[in-house]
Amino acid sequence: MVAIIDPTPELDELIDPQAEFELLGSGFTFTEGPAWNNAGGYLEFSDIPGDARWRWSRAKGMELVMRPNFKGNGMVFEPDGSLLICEQVTSTLIRVKPNGDRQVAAYHYQGKYLNSPNDVITRSDGSIYFTDPNYGRWPAAVGVGRECDLDFQGVYRVPPGGGDCELVVAKDEFEQPNGLCFSPDERLLYINDRQDVKVFDVAADGSLGPARVVCTNMGSQGGPASGNPDGMKCDERGNVWCTARHGIWVLDPGGKLLGIIRTPEVAGNLVWGGPDLRSLFVPTTTTVHVIETKVAAAPLPCH
């Protein structure tokens, strides 16, 4: 039975209190960036310090896809099966085509190299949004220590068909922007930071309105309950599921906390998959788990 902190009756409609995490794999160093390939029926994820990309399916279990992986982090599949990957080592958002060809989707802003793209999502118009904190430039296992060209940590949009990055938030909006996700109708964009989740109205041209804080004080306070706001996804009803302190915080569209699902280890990200998109895959530090939910993922362009 899953452990839930301060559950509300609304949460019972989203996940069975008797649900349990199923262990899919272990022995990793820090798992992140889960992406579900609906056509192929498989999950891909990153082991950042292990510098590897892995694939899991019911039919074949765990398979090593790529090593080295330039310490890839967040990933998402595009409608044609291409995989977008945030690379910590190269400070680049890259695209791996289904035939294996590698393309650069974004690497600079106004002539300066990006910090280290962290997480990425797509919109139904073909545009790409990604966060760019500087974690991959720290002298740590998740990247390569080096100076930043940019003096801020931004959030960017790549227009449909490609082109120069567009900064979609003020330069001082975030300390370290991280996870991001669209509401089911793509009219809202949620982005988190070290303590908060903010929401922005999305205009028809893809630009963002002013920020509103929907939840705060979500970050680590030390000890076994460590973890800051990180990976984040919306379900089909518009609820926000965000990995943070203690596990997975489930918020209603207005930011009300419906409960916190404790995870077996610190969770860095999550994604729905499976035949009905109700299997929630959760990379949890050295392991990868899945748990079934009553609610499905918000539709993505690749679904």
Side-chain angles (χ1 to χ4, degrees):
M1 183 174 68
V2 67
I4 301 177
I5 302 172
D6 298 330
T8 62
E10 295 97 320
L11 189 63
D12 289 346
E13 299 178 8
L14 307 179
I15 186 169
D16 189 333
Q18 302 300 315
E20 295 184 354
F21 283 102
E22 175 190 355
L23 178 66
L24 302 180
S26 61
F28 307 105
T29 45
F30 186 74
T31 56
E32 247 283 13
W36 177 254
N37 187 299
N38 204 45
Y42 60 82
L43 175 79
E44 291 209 1
F45 65 93
S46 307
D47 180 1
I48 301 178
D51 203 12
R53 188 165 86 248
W54 291 83
R55 178 179 297 175
W56 174 90
S57 66
R58 283 290 177 195
K60 297 183 179 180
M62 286 291 177
E63 301 175 277
L64 178 63
V65 176
M66 181 68 67
R67 179 183 283 145
N69 187 42
F70 300 102
K71 296 189 176 180
N73 194 339
M75 301 189 292
V76 68
F77 282 99
E78 295 182 290
D80 69 350
S82 298
L83 181 62
L84 293 169
I85 306 173
C86 297
E87 291 185 347
Q88 305 275 62
V89 169
T90 65
S91 295
T92 303
L93 176 65
I94 67 137
R95 174 183 289 112
V96 178
K97 302 292 288 184
N99 65 2
D101 286 351
R102 176 184 167 95
Q103 301 176 348
V104 173
Y107 73 100
H108 66 83
Y109 174 68
Q110 295 184 344
K112 294 184 178 181
Y113 284 104
L114 298 169
N115 297 317
S116 63
N118 184 280
D119 209 351
V120 57
I121 56 175
T122 56
R123 194 168 179 238
S124 57
D125 65 356
S127 57
I128 301 165
Y129 291 72
F130 67 94
T131 55
D132 188 43
N134 59 25
Y135 294 128
R137 290 178 178 261
W138 291 11
V142 297
V144 175
R146 59 206 191 280
E147 295 295 321
C148 294
D149 282 6
L150 297 169
D151 60 0
F152 65 94
Q153 284 66 249
V155 180
Y156 298 93
R157 174 181 181 265
V158 179
D164 291 340
C165 291
E166 302 167 357
L167 183 67
V168 291
V169 299
K171 291 182 178 181
D172 61 353
E173 184 67 58
F174 292 99
E175 180 183 354
Q176 293 285 5
N178 200 321
L180 70 174
C181 62
F182 283 113
S183 62
D185 61 8
E186 298 185 338
R187 294 181 180 179
L188 300 174
L189 177 60
Y190 295 89
I191 307 173
N192 64 47
D193 206 335
R194 296 176 66 87
Q195 289 288 339
D196 309 327
V197 173
K198 296 180 179 180
V199 66
F200 302 79
D201 293 318
V202 184
D205 64 358
S207 61
L208 304 183
R212 304 187 299 275
V213 175
V214 296
C215 192
T216 190
N217 193 31
M218 300 171 67
S220 176
Q221 297 175 343
S226 60
N228 292 328
D230 204 331
M232 187 165 59
K233 301 290 186 295
C234 262
D235 66 28
E236 61 185 342
R237 301 182 189 178
N239 301 299
V240 178
W241 299 56
C242 180
T243 60
R245 188 177 73 249
H246 295 301
I248 301 167
W249 290 48
V250 184
L251 313 173
D252 76 4
K256 175 186 175 182
L257 179 61
L258 304 182
I260 302 172
I261 303 168
R262 286 190 179 271
T263 50
E265 296 180 297
V266 174
N269 212 324
L270 71 175
V271 71
W272 273 281
D276 58 2
L277 300 180
R278 294 173 185 264
S279 301
L280 187 63
F281 294 91
V282 187
T284 45
T285 310
T286 67
T287 54
V288 176
H289 289 78
V290 65
I291 191 168
E292 299 303 314
T293 62
K294 297 180 181 180
V295 68
L300 296 175
C302 60
H303 293 152

